[in-house]
Amino acid sequence: MITQRTDDPEKAARWLRAGDCVAFPTETVYGLGANALNADAVAKIFEAKGRPADNPLIVHVASVEQVEQVAQNLSSAAWALLRAFSPGPLTCVVHKRDDVPEVTTAGLDTVGVRIPSLPVAQAFLTACAVPVAAPSANQSGRPSPTTWEAVRYDLDGRIRGILIGPQSPTGIESTVIDTTTRPPVVLRPGAVSVEEARRVVPDLTIADSVEQEKRSPGTRHRHYAPDATVELASAAEAVPGAEAAFLGLNAPTQSGSWGHVVLARDLPDYAARLYAALRQFDAEDLARIVCEPVEPTGLGRALMDRLRRAAGHASGETPSDAAAEADEAP
């Protein structure tokens, strides 16, 4: 298969409506989309990515009005969150309609729904005129792609096409909130902070068990991981080396040389540059990547979740804890 590229959302939508997989940009990461109501098309996503079939997909639509194409019996919390943060990096887990195929939801009776804000994503989804199931557009286990070039590197020859757009400005996947429970539960921290969401739903809680997280797209099977070993260490603790890279907010202080140092301006810049930096360090054949931890509040909660998973640790655990299993979804 020859993977075609276009910057025309209408052309990319025609490929998708024909039953093919199409990668497209969002404000979080690039997604790999297929018609969410076409089981055969959705199955191509799993084949292209090498994604485990027990991992549910997020369904993307162009507007709040379209949510009920795949969802039913939405709670007041779901409507409040969707109206407050959509379009944007929020996924609400809601009760699915009966005509949503099991392959899309991994057999669950719920579905995650999101409305991306990036203009090219909006144009693409509007042109598709069907709900679009999409995890991140990478081979399963790799860092999520934030550029179309990263998509091409992972999936060239595996999918019909790539809709070319800008680098994803947020760089961290959406926040996933299960609104079918009382109280609603944050299943995956993301670009909408817990603190922001609680201003809309004050009784919001955070998942405290693996069983809760299994209801979320993007929290099964280890992912976010480059080929290099990822370590978490402060700027003062980071051990330099010619084979090592450092990524963080503050310059490392120990004497010695580094293979590559990337310093972010602030927390949003750190999040936006994370996946691209991990991929760049792999391309440079660096053996170690040292990432500086941040305070796990606000956006830092989501960033620390991704850093811990990249380092092979379960979300919420310290670097000495057991390895996590997760997979990606925009």
Side-chain angles (χ1 to χ4, degrees):
M1 178 188 300
I2 298 175
T3 297
Q4 299 181 343
R5 300 193 295 273
T6 183
D7 60 4
D8 181 357
E10 294 276 353
K11 184 175 182 179
R14 288 197 295 271
W15 293 337
L16 184 136
R17 290 197 304 269
D20 288 314
C21 291
V22 179
F24 65 101
T26 79
E27 74 276 18
T28 58
V29 301
Y30 272 66
L32 179 59
N35 182 347
L37 303 180
N38 182 332
D40 291 338
V42 172
K44 294 178 182 178
I45 293 175
F46 291 88
E47 181 180 0
K49 285 176 58 71
R51 180 183 175 95
D54 64 346
N55 202 345
L57 304 176
I58 289 176
V59 174
H60 299 69
V61 295
S63 67
V64 171
E65 290 72 26
Q66 287 184 289
V67 169
E68 290 182 301
Q69 290 182 356
V70 295
Q72 60 182 346
N73 303 324
L74 270 70
S75 66
S76 59
W79 284 121
L81 288 164
L82 286 168
R83 288 170 176 145
F85 298 108
S86 297
L90 174 80
T91 296
C92 281
V93 174
V94 295
H95 296 290
K96 79 175 186 72
R97 287 171 55 102
D98 293 340
D99 55 350
V100 178
E102 287 194 1
V103 66
T104 300
T105 64
L108 298 174
D109 60 0
T110 56
V111 62
V113 184
R114 180 166 109 77
I115 306 165
S117 63
L118 195 69
V120 66
Q122 280 277 310
F124 171 69
L125 292 168
T126 299
C128 286
V130 294
V132 174
S136 57
N138 57 312
Q139 286 196 28
S140 194
R142 295 276 293 148
S144 298
T146 53
T147 66
W148 72 265
E149 292 92 345
V151 177
R152 179 182 60 182
Y153 183 87
D154 274 14
L155 298 179
D156 193 26
R158 293 172 172 261
I159 61 176
R160 172 65 184 274
I162 301 171
L163 175 58
I164 294 173
Q167 180 166 340
S168 299
T170 302
I172 289 288
E173 293 87 351
S174 62
T175 303
V176 179
I177 299 179
D178 187 349
T179 62
T180 68
T181 64
R182 293 185 180 180
V185 181
V186 176
L187 301 180
R188 180 182 71 180
V192 173
S193 73
V194 172
E195 292 83 355
E196 290 173 315
R198 278 184 174 148
R199 295 189 190 110
V200 178
V201 182
D203 61 345
L204 189 70
T205 62
I206 300 173
D208 59 4
S209 73
V210 172
E211 284 306 310
Q212 282 181 303
E213 289 188 345
K214 284 182 179 180
R215 295 181 65 81
S216 171
T219 56
R220 294 188 185 188
H221 311 287
R222 184 174 181 266
H223 72 316
Y224 307 119
D227 295 331
T229 300
V230 177
E231 306 169 6
L232 303 183
S234 69
E237 297 167 335
V239 177
E243 84 297 345
F246 180 86
L247 173 64
L249 294 167
N250 302 289
T253 59
Q254 292 194 32
S255 60
S257 61
W258 290 86
H260 200 137
V261 173
V262 172
L263 297 180
R265 298 185 305 274
D266 51 27
L267 196 59
D269 188 45
Y270 193 171
R273 299 175 71 171
L274 173 62
Y275 294 139
L278 295 181
R279 285 177 172 270
Q280 179 181 358
F281 298 152
D282 267 353
E284 295 171 0
D285 292 326
L286 296 172
R288 288 192 301 123
I289 302 172
V290 182
C291 295
E292 182 182 15
V294 299
E295 287 295 319
T297 59
L299 181 61
R301 185 191 303 272
L303 181 56
M304 282 305 301
D305 173 79
R306 305 315 190 268
L307 291 175
R308 286 169 174 147
R309 294 184 188 277
H313 311 296
S315 62
E317 294 180 342
T318 62
S320 62
D321 289 320
E325 287 193 291
D327 197 16
E328 56 290 306

